[in-house]
Amino acid sequence: LQGMGHRVADGTVDLQHTIISEAFGRQGYARTLVTRVLDEYRERGTKVRATCSYVRDFMDRFPAYRDLLATTPDPRAEG
């Protein structure tokens, strides 16, 4: 297994990558990893930005996690 790449800016976590070794692909590990990470951030009261396509797709499939999405603009996009 690998892990999840992330970066913290303005108190919001940017979930950038979900990395699972090919040997473990299609076995539900990515879903489990994303679920656990999002549950942890929910417990902490931390908002997230989902720049990782897997995380974005996950949040589309499981709308119960959409409340975690940051509503503030991405500071990297500013001037």
Side-chain angles (χ1 to χ4, degrees):
L1 285 170
Q2 297 274 325
M4 180 164 274
H6 68 279
R7 163 179 161 321
V8 178
D10 74 339
T12 300
V13 175
D14 184 358
L15 300 175
Q16 300 173 324
H17 309 284
T18 302
I19 304 166
I20 301 295
S21 297
E22 289 292 324
F24 296 102
R26 300 252 180 240
Q27 296 181 41
Y29 289 108
R31 179 177 171 179
T32 299
L33 175 64
V34 170
T35 300
R36 295 182 106 193
V37 166
L38 292 175
D39 287 345
E40 176 77 21
Y41 287 130
R42 175 174 278 141
E43 286 179 23
R44 294 181 189 180
T46 302
K47 295 290 185 180
V48 301
R49 281 190 189 84
T51 55
C52 170
S53 61
Y54 184 88
V55 176
R56 282 194 312 269
D57 291 345
F58 178 93
M59 293 179 114
D60 285 342
R61 286 191 314 262
F62 301 98
Y65 287 96
R66 288 186 194 153
D67 64 303
L68 294 172
L69 288 171
T71 56
T72 56
D74 186 339
R76 295 173 301 162
E78 296 176 5

Coordinates of all heavy atoms in Angstrom, one line a residue:
L1 N 0.8 -1.2 0.0 CA 0.0 0.0 0.0 C 0.9 1.2 0.0 O 2.0 1.2 0.3 CB -0.9 0.0 1.2 CG -2.1 -0.9 1.2 CD1 -2.7 -1.0 2.6 CD2 -3.1 -0.6 0.2
Q2 N 0.3 2.4 -0.3 CA 1.0 3.6 -0.3 C 0.4 4.6 0.7 O 0.6 4.4 1.8 CB 1.0 4.2 -1.7 CG 1.7 3.3 -2.8 CD 3.2 3.5 -2.8 OE1 3.7 4.6 -2.6 NE2 4.0 2.5 -3.0
G3 N -0.3 5.5 0.2 CA -0.9 6.5 1.1 C -1.6 7.6 0.4 O -2.0 7.4 -0.8
M4 N -1.7 8.8 1.0 CA -2.4 9.9 0.4 C -1.5 11.1 0.5 O -1.0 11.4 1.6 CB -3.7 10.1 1.2 CG -4.5 11.2 0.7 SD -6.2 11.2 1.3 CE -6.9 10.1 0.1
G5 N -1.4 11.8 -0.6 CA -0.6 13.0 -0.6 C -1.5 14.2 -0.3 O -2.6 14.3 -0.8
H6 N -1.0 15.0 0.5 CA -1.8 16.2 0.9 C -0.9 17.4 1.3 O 0.3 17.2 1.4 CB -2.7 15.9 2.1 CG -1.9 15.6 3.4 ND1 -1.3 14.4 3.7 CD2 -1.7 16.4 4.4 CE1 -0.7 14.5 4.8 NE2 -0.9 15.7 5.3
R7 N -1.6 18.5 1.3 CA -0.9 19.8 1.7 C -1.8 20.6 2.4 O -3.0 20.6 2.2 CB -0.5 20.4 0.3 CG -0.1 21.8 0.3 CD 0.3 22.1 -1.2 NE 0.3 23.4 -1.7 CZ -0.5 24.5 -1.4 NH1 -1.4 24.3 -0.5 NH2 -0.3 25.6 -1.9
V8 N -1.3 21.4 3.4 CA -2.2 22.2 4.2 C -1.9 23.7 3.9 O -0.7 24.1 3.8 CB -1.9 22.0 5.7 CG1 -2.7 22.9 6.6 CG2 -2.1 20.5 6.1
A9 N -3.0 24.4 3.6 CA -2.9 25.8 3.4 C -4.1 26.5 3.9 O -5.2 25.9 3.8 CB -2.8 26.1 1.8
D10 N -4.0 27.6 4.6 CA -5.1 28.4 5.1 C -6.0 27.5 6.1 O -7.2 27.8 6.1 CB -5.9 29.1 4.1 CG -6.8 28.2 3.2 OD1 -6.6 27.0 3.2 OD2 -7.7 28.8 2.6
G11 N -5.4 26.5 6.7 CA -6.2 25.7 7.6 C -7.0 24.6 6.9 O -7.8 23.9 7.5
T12 N -6.9 24.5 5.6 CA -7.6 23.6 4.8 C -6.7 22.6 4.2 O -5.6 22.9 3.8 CB -8.4 24.3 3.6 OG1 -9.2 25.3 4.2 CG2 -9.1 23.3 2.8
V13 N -7.1 21.3 4.2 CA -6.2 20.2 3.7 C -6.6 20.0 2.2 O -7.7 19.8 1.9 CB -6.4 19.0 4.5 CG1 -5.6 17.8 3.9 CG2 -5.9 19.2 5.9
D14 N -5.5 20.0 1.4 CA -5.7 19.8 0.0 C -5.3 18.3 -0.3 O -4.2 17.9 -0.1 CB -4.8 20.7 -0.9 CG -5.0 20.5 -2.4 OD1 -5.8 19.7 -2.8 OD2 -4.4 21.3 -3.1
L15 N -6.3 17.5 -0.6 CA -6.0 16.1 -0.8 C -5.6 15.9 -2.3 O -6.5 16.0 -3.2 CB -7.3 15.2 -0.5 CG -7.7 15.3 0.9 CD1 -9.0 14.6 1.2 CD2 -6.6 14.8 1.9
Q16 N -4.4 15.7 -2.5 CA -3.8 15.8 -3.9 C -3.7 14.5 -4.6 O -3.8 14.4 -5.8 CB -2.4 16.5 -3.8 CG -2.5 17.9 -3.3 CD -1.1 18.5 -3.1 OE1 -0.2 17.8 -2.7 NE2 -1.0 19.8 -3.3
H17 N -3.4 13.4 -3.9 CA -3.1 12.1 -4.5 C -3.6 11.0 -3.6 O -3.5 11.1 -2.4 CB -1.6 11.9 -4.7 CG -0.9 13.0 -5.3 ND1 -1.0 13.2 -6.7 CD2 -0.1 14.0 -4.8 CE1 -0.2 14.3 -7.0 NE2 0.3 14.7 -5.9
T18 N -4.2 10.0 -4.2 CA -4.5 8.7 -3.5 C -3.6 7.7 -4.2 O -3.8 7.4 -5.4 CB -6.0 8.4 -3.7 OG1 -6.7 9.4 -3.1 CG2 -6.3 7.1 -2.9
I19 N -2.7 7.1 -3.5 CA -1.7 6.2 -4.2 C -1.8 4.8 -3.5 O -1.6 4.6 -2.3 CB -0.3 6.7 -4.0 CG1 -0.2 8.2 -4.5 CG2 0.7 5.8 -4.6 CD1 1.1 8.9 -4.1
I20 N -2.2 3.8 -4.4 CA -2.3 2.5 -4.0 C -1.4 1.7 -4.9 O -1.5 1.8 -6.2 CB -3.7 1.9 -4.0 CG1 -4.6 2.8 -3.1 CG2 -3.8 0.5 -3.7 CD1 -4.3 2.7 -1.6
S21 N -0.5 0.8 -4.4 CA 0.3 0.0 -5.3 C -0.6 -0.9 -6.2 O -1.6 -1.3 -5.8 CB 1.2 -1.0 -4.4 OG 2.1 -0.2 -3.6
E22 N -0.1 -1.1 -7.4 CA -0.8 -1.9 -8.4 C -1.2 -3.2 -7.9 O -2.3 -3.7 -8.2 CB 0.0 -2.1 -9.7 CG 0.2 -0.8 -10.5 CD -1.1 -0.3 -11.1 OE1 -1.9 -1.2 -11.6 OE2 -1.3 0.9 -11.2
A23 N -0.4 -3.8 -7.1 CA -0.7 -5.2 -6.5 C -1.9 -5.2 -5.7 O -2.6 -6.2 -5.5 CB 0.5 -5.7 -5.7
F24 N -2.3 -4.0 -5.2 CA -3.5 -3.9 -4.3 C -4.7 -3.2 -5.0 O -5.7 -3.0 -4.4 CB -3.2 -3.2 -3.0 CG -2.2 -3.9 -2.2 CD1 -0.8 -3.5 -2.2 CD2 -2.5 -5.0 -1.4 CE1 0.1 -4.1 -1.4 CE2 -1.6 -5.6 -0.7 CZ -0.3 -5.2 -0.7
G25 N -4.5 -2.9 -6.3 CA -5.6 -2.3 -7.0 C -6.9 -3.1 -7.1 O -6.9 -4.3 -7.0
R26 N -8.0 -2.4 -7.2 CA -9.3 -3.0 -7.3 C -9.7 -3.9 -6.2 O -10.5 -4.8 -6.4 CB -9.4 -3.8 -8.6 CG -9.1 -2.9 -9.9 CD -10.4 -2.8 -10.6 NE -10.3 -2.0 -11.8 CZ -11.0 -0.8 -11.9 NH1 -11.8 -0.4 -11.0 NH2 -11.0 -0.2 -13.0
Q27 N -9.2 -3.6 -5.0 CA -9.5 -4.4 -3.8 C -10.2 -3.6 -2.7 O -10.4 -4.1 -1.6 CB -8.3 -5.1 -3.3 CG -7.7 -6.1 -4.2 CD -6.5 -6.8 -3.7 OE1 -6.5 -7.2 -2.5 NE2 -5.4 -7.0 -4.5
G28 N -10.5 -2.4 -3.0 CA -11.2 -1.5 -2.0 C -10.3 -0.7 -1.1 O -10.8 0.0 -0.2
Y29 N -9.0 -0.8 -1.3 CA -8.1 -0.1 -0.4 C -8.1 1.4 -0.5 O -8.1 2.1 0.5 CB -6.6 -0.6 -0.6 CG -6.4 -2.0 -0.1 CD1 -6.2 -3.1 -1.0 CD2 -6.4 -2.3 1.3 CE1 -6.0 -4.4 -0.6 CE2 -6.2 -3.6 1.7 CZ -6.0 -4.6 0.8 OH -5.8 -5.9 1.2
A30 N -8.3 1.9 -1.8 CA -8.3 3.3 -2.0 C -9.6 3.9 -1.3 O -9.6 4.9 -0.6 CB -8.3 3.7 -3.5
R31 N -10.7 3.2 -1.5 CA -12.0 3.6 -0.8 C -11.8 3.6 0.7 O -12.2 4.6 1.4 CB -13.1 2.7 -1.3 CG -14.4 3.1 -0.6 CD -15.5 2.2 -1.2 NE -16.7 2.4 -0.4 CZ -17.8 1.7 -0.7 NH1 -17.9 0.8 -1.7 NH2 -18.9 1.9 0.0
T32 N -11.2 2.6 1.2 CA -11.0 2.5 2.7 C -10.1 3.7 3.2 O -10.4 4.3 4.2 CB -10.4 1.2 3.1 OG1 -11.4 0.1 2.7 CG2 -10.2 1.1 4.6
L33 N -9.0 3.9 2.4 CA -8.1 5.0 2.8 C -8.8 6.3 2.8 O -8.7 7.1 3.7 CB -6.9 5.0 1.8 CG -5.9 6.1 2.0 CD1 -5.2 6.0 3.3 CD2 -4.9 6.1 0.8
V34 N -9.5 6.6 1.7 CA -10.2 7.9 1.6 C -11.3 8.1 2.7 O -11.4 9.1 3.3 CB -10.8 8.1 0.2 CG1 -11.7 9.3 0.2 CG2 -9.7 8.2 -0.8
T35 N -12.0 7.0 3.0 CA -13.0 7.0 4.0 C -12.4 7.4 5.4 O -12.9 8.2 6.1 CB -13.8 5.7 4.1 OG1 -14.4 5.5 2.8 CG2 -14.8 5.7 5.2
R36 N -11.3 6.7 5.7 CA -10.7 6.9 7.0 C -10.1 8.3 7.1 O -10.2 9.0 8.1 CB -9.6 5.8 7.2 CG -10.2 4.5 7.3 CD -9.2 3.4 7.6 NE -9.4 3.1 9.0 CZ -8.5 2.4 9.8 NH1 -7.4 2.0 9.2 NH2 -8.8 2.1 11.0
V37 N -9.5 8.8 6.0 CA -8.9 10.1 6.0 C -10.0 11.2 6.2 O -9.9 12.1 7.0 CB -8.1 10.4 4.8 CG1 -7.7 11.8 4.6 CG2 -6.8 9.5 4.8
L38 N -11.1 11.1 5.4 CA -12.2 12.0 5.5 C -12.8 12.0 6.9 O -13.2 13.0 7.5 CB -13.2 11.8 4.4 CG -12.7 12.1 3.0 CD1 -13.7 11.8 2.0 CD2 -12.3 13.6 2.9
D39 N -13.0 10.8 7.5 CA -13.6 10.7 8.8 C -12.7 11.3 9.8 O -13.2 12.0 10.7 CB -13.8 9.2 9.2 CG -15.0 8.6 8.4 OD1 -15.8 9.3 7.9 OD2 -15.1 7.3 8.4
E40 N -11.4 11.2 9.7 CA -10.4 11.8 10.6 C -10.6 13.4 10.5 O -10.6 14.1 11.5 CB -9.0 11.4 10.3 CG -8.0 12.1 11.1 CD -7.8 11.5 12.5 OE1 -8.3 10.4 12.8 OE2 -7.3 12.2 13.4
Y41 N -10.6 13.9 9.3 CA -10.7 15.3 9.2 C -12.1 15.8 9.7 O -12.2 16.9 10.2 CB -10.5 15.8 7.7 CG -9.0 15.7 7.4 CD1 -8.6 15.0 6.2 CD2 -8.0 16.2 8.2 CE1 -7.3 15.0 5.9 CE2 -6.7 16.2 7.9 CZ -6.3 15.5 6.7 OH -5.0 15.4 6.4
R42 N -13.1 15.1 9.5 CA -14.4 15.4 10.1 C -14.3 15.6 11.6 O -14.8 16.5 12.2 CB -15.5 14.4 9.7 CG -16.8 14.8 10.3 CD -18.0 13.9 9.8 NE -18.4 14.5 8.6 CZ -18.8 13.7 7.6 NH1 -18.7 12.4 7.6 NH2 -19.2 14.3 6.5
E43 N -13.7 14.6 12.2 CA -13.6 14.6 13.7 C -12.8 15.8 14.1 O -13.1 16.4 15.2 CB -12.8 13.3 14.2 CG -13.7 12.1 14.1 CD -13.0 10.9 14.6 OE1 -12.0 11.0 15.4 OE2 -13.4 9.8 14.2
R44 N -11.8 16.3 13.4 CA -11.0 17.4 13.7 C -11.7 18.7 13.3 O -11.2 19.8 13.7 CB -9.7 17.4 12.9 CG -8.8 16.3 13.4 CD -7.5 16.3 12.6 NE -6.7 15.2 12.8 CZ -5.5 15.0 12.2 NH1 -5.0 15.9 11.4 NH2 -4.8 13.9 12.4
G45 N -12.7 18.7 12.5 CA -13.4 19.9 12.1 C -12.6 20.6 11.0 O -12.7 21.8 10.8
T46 N -11.8 19.8 10.2 CA -11.0 20.4 9.1 C -11.7 20.2 7.8 O -12.2 19.2 7.5 CB -9.7 19.6 9.1 OG1 -9.0 19.7 10.4 CG2 -8.8 20.2 8.0
K47 N -11.7 21.3 7.0 CA -12.2 21.3 5.7 C -11.2 20.8 4.7 O -10.0 20.9 5.0 CB -12.7 22.7 5.2 CG -13.9 23.2 6.1 CD -15.1 22.4 5.8 CE -16.3 23.0 6.5 NZ -17.5 22.3 6.2
V48 N -11.6 20.3 3.6 CA -10.7 19.7 2.6 C -11.0 20.3 1.2 O -12.1 20.7 0.9 CB -10.8 18.2 2.5 CG1 -10.4 17.6 3.8 CG2 -12.1 17.7 2.0
R49 N -10.0 20.3 0.4 CA -10.1 20.6 -1.1 C -9.7 19.3 -1.7 O -8.7 18.6 -1.4 CB -9.1 21.7 -1.5 CG -9.6 23.0 -1.2 CD -8.8 24.1 -1.9 NE -9.2 25.4 -1.4 CZ -8.7 25.9 -0.3 NH1 -7.8 25.3 0.4 NH2 -9.2 27.0 0.2
A50 N -10.5 18.8 -2.7 CA -10.2 17.5 -3.4 C -9.7 17.8 -4.8 O -10.4 17.8 -5.7 CB -11.5 16.7 -3.4
T51 N -8.4 18.0 -4.8 CA -7.7 18.1 -6.2 C -7.4 16.7 -6.7 O -7.2 16.6 -7.9 CB -6.5 19.0 -6.1 OG1 -5.6 18.4 -5.2 CG2 -6.8 20.4 -5.8
C52 N -7.5 15.7 -5.9 CA -7.3 14.3 -6.4 C -8.6 13.9 -7.1 O -9.7 14.0 -6.5 CB -7.0 13.4 -5.2 SG -7.1 11.6 -5.6
S53 N -8.5 13.4 -8.3 CA -9.7 12.9 -9.0 C -10.4 11.8 -8.3 O -11.6 11.7 -8.3 CB -9.3 12.6 -10.4 OG -8.4 11.5 -10.5
Y54 N -9.7 10.9 -7.7 CA -10.3 9.8 -6.9 C -11.2 10.4 -5.8 O -12.3 9.9 -5.6 CB -9.3 8.8 -6.4 CG -10.0 7.6 -5.8 CD1 -10.4 6.5 -6.5 CD2 -10.3 7.6 -4.4 CE1 -11.1 5.5 -6.0 CE2 -11.0 6.6 -3.8 CZ -11.4 5.5 -4.6 OH -12.1 4.4 -4.1
V55 N -10.6 11.3 -5.0 CA -11.4 11.9 -3.9 C -12.6 12.6 -4.4 O -13.7 12.5 -3.8 CB -10.5 12.8 -3.0 CG1 -11.2 13.4 -1.9 CG2 -9.3 12.0 -2.5
R56 N -12.4 13.4 -5.5 CA -13.6 14.1 -6.1 C -14.7 13.1 -6.5 O -15.9 13.3 -6.2 CB -13.2 14.9 -7.3 CG -12.5 16.2 -6.9 CD -12.4 17.2 -8.1 NE -11.9 16.6 -9.4 CZ -10.7 16.5 -9.7 NH1 -9.7 17.1 -8.9 NH2 -10.3 16.0 -10.8
D57 N -14.3 12.0 -7.1 CA -15.3 11.0 -7.5 C -15.9 10.3 -6.3 O -17.1 10.1 -6.3 CB -14.6 9.9 -8.4 CG -14.2 10.5 -9.8 OD1 -14.7 11.6 -10.2 OD2 -13.4 9.8 -10.5
F58 N -15.1 10.1 -5.3 CA -15.6 9.5 -4.1 C -16.7 10.4 -3.5 O -17.7 9.9 -3.1 CB -14.5 9.3 -3.1 CG -14.9 8.7 -1.8 CD1 -14.8 7.4 -1.5 CD2 -15.3 9.5 -0.7 CE1 -15.2 6.8 -0.3 CE2 -15.7 9.0 0.5 CZ -15.6 7.7 0.7
M59 N -16.4 11.7 -3.4 CA -17.4 12.6 -2.8 C -18.6 12.7 -3.6 O -19.7 13.0 -3.1 CB -16.7 13.9 -2.5 CG -15.6 13.8 -1.4 SD -14.8 15.3 -1.1 CE -15.4 15.6 0.6
D60 N -18.5 12.5 -4.9 CA -19.7 12.5 -5.8 C -20.6 11.3 -5.5 O -21.8 11.3 -5.4 CB -19.3 12.5 -7.3 CG -18.9 13.9 -7.8 OD1 -19.1 14.9 -7.1 OD2 -18.2 13.9 -8.8
R61 N -19.9 10.1 -5.3 CA -20.6 8.9 -5.0 C -21.2 8.8 -3.6 O -22.2 8.2 -3.3 CB -19.7 7.7 -5.2 CG -19.4 7.4 -6.6 CD -18.7 6.0 -6.8 NE -17.6 5.8 -5.8 CZ -16.3 6.0 -6.1 NH1 -15.9 6.4 -7.3 NH2 -15.4 5.8 -5.2
F62 N -20.5 9.5 -2.6 CA -20.9 9.5 -1.2 C -21.2 10.9 -0.8 O -20.3 11.5 -0.1 CB -19.9 8.8 -0.4 CG -19.6 7.4 -0.8 CD1 -18.5 7.1 -1.7 CD2 -20.5 6.4 -0.5 CE1 -18.3 5.8 -2.1 CE2 -20.2 5.1 -0.9 CZ -19.2 4.8 -1.7
P63 N -22.3 11.5 -1.1 CA -22.6 12.9 -0.7 C -22.6 13.2 0.7 O -22.5 14.4 1.1 CB -24.0 13.2 -1.3 CG -24.5 11.8 -1.7 CD -23.4 10.9 -1.8
A64 N -22.6 12.2 1.6 CA -22.5 12.5 3.1 C -21.2 13.2 3.4 O -21.1 13.8 4.5 CB -22.7 11.2 3.8
Y65 N -20.2 13.1 2.6 CA -18.9 13.7 2.8 C -18.7 15.1 2.2 O -17.7 15.8 2.5 CB -17.8 12.8 2.3 CG -17.6 11.6 3.2 CD1 -18.1 10.4 2.8 CD2 -16.8 11.6 4.3 CE1 -18.0 9.2 3.6 CE2 -16.6 10.5 5.1 CZ -17.2 9.3 4.8 OH -17.1 8.2 5.5
R66 N -19.7 15.5 1.5 CA -19.6 16.8 0.8 C -19.5 18.0 1.8 O -19.0 19.1 1.4 CB -20.7 17.0 -0.2 CG -20.6 16.2 -1.4 CD -21.6 16.5 -2.4 NE -21.7 15.4 -3.4 CZ -22.7 15.1 -4.1 NH1 -23.8 15.8 -3.9 NH2 -22.7 14.1 -5.0
D67 N -20.0 17.8 3.0 CA -19.9 18.9 4.0 C -18.5 19.3 4.3 O -18.2 20.3 4.9 CB -20.7 18.6 5.2 CG -20.2 17.4 6.0 OD1 -20.0 16.3 5.3 OD2 -19.9 17.5 7.2
L68 N -17.6 18.4 4.0 CA -16.2 18.6 4.3 C -15.5 19.5 3.3 O -14.4 20.0 3.6 CB -15.4 17.3 4.4 CG -15.8 16.4 5.6 CD1 -15.1 15.0 5.4 CD2 -15.5 17.0 6.9
L69 N -16.1 19.7 2.2 CA -15.5 20.5 1.1 C -15.3 22.0 1.5 O -16.3 22.6 2.0 CB -16.3 20.4 -0.2 CG -16.1 19.1 -0.9 CD1 -17.1 19.0 -2.0 CD2 -14.7 18.8 -1.4
A70 N -14.2 22.5 1.3 CA -13.9 23.9 1.6 C -14.7 24.8 0.7 O -14.8 24.5 -0.5 CB -12.4 24.2 1.5
T71 N -15.2 25.9 1.2 CA -16.0 26.8 0.4 C -15.2 28.1 0.1 O -15.6 28.9 -0.7 CB -17.3 27.3 1.1 OG1 -17.0 27.8 2.4 CG2 -18.2 26.1 1.3
T72 N -14.0 28.2 0.7 CA -13.1 29.3 0.4 C -12.3 29.1 -0.8 O -12.0 27.9 -1.1 CB -12.2 29.6 1.6 OG1 -11.4 28.4 1.9 CG2 -13.0 30.0 2.8
P73 N -11.9 30.1 -1.5 CA -11.1 29.9 -2.7 C -9.7 29.3 -2.4 O -9.2 29.5 -1.3 CB -10.9 31.3 -3.3 CG -11.8 32.2 -2.5 CD -12.2 31.5 -1.3
D74 N -9.2 28.5 -3.3 CA -7.9 27.9 -3.2 C -6.8 29.1 -3.2 O -6.8 29.8 -4.2 CB -7.6 27.0 -4.3 CG -6.3 26.2 -4.1 OD1 -5.4 26.6 -3.4 OD2 -6.2 25.1 -4.8
P75 N -6.0 29.2 -2.1 CA -5.1 30.4 -2.1 C -4.0 30.3 -3.2 O -3.5 31.3 -3.6 CB -4.4 30.2 -0.7 CG -4.7 28.9 -0.2 CD -6.0 28.4 -0.9
R76 N -3.8 29.1 -3.7 CA -2.8 29.0 -4.8 C -3.3 29.6 -6.1 O -2.6 30.0 -7.0 CB -2.5 27.5 -5.1 CG -1.8 26.8 -4.0 CD -1.7 25.4 -4.2 NE -3.0 24.8 -4.4 CZ -3.3 23.6 -5.0 NH1 -2.3 22.9 -5.4 NH2 -4.5 23.2 -5.1
A77 N -4.7 29.8 -6.2 CA -5.3 30.3 -7.4 C -5.2 31.9 -7.4 O -5.5 32.5 -8.4 CB -6.7 29.9 -7.6
E78 N -4.9 32.5 -6.3 CA -4.9 33.9 -6.2 C -3.6 34.5 -6.7 O -2.5 33.9 -6.5 CB -5.1 34.3 -4.7 CG -6.5 33.9 -4.2 CD -6.7 34.3 -2.8 OE1 -5.8 34.9 -2.2 OE2 -7.8 33.9 -2.3
G79 N -3.6 35.7 -7.3 CA -2.6 36.5 -7.8 C -1.2 36.0 -7.7 O -0.2 36.3 -8.1

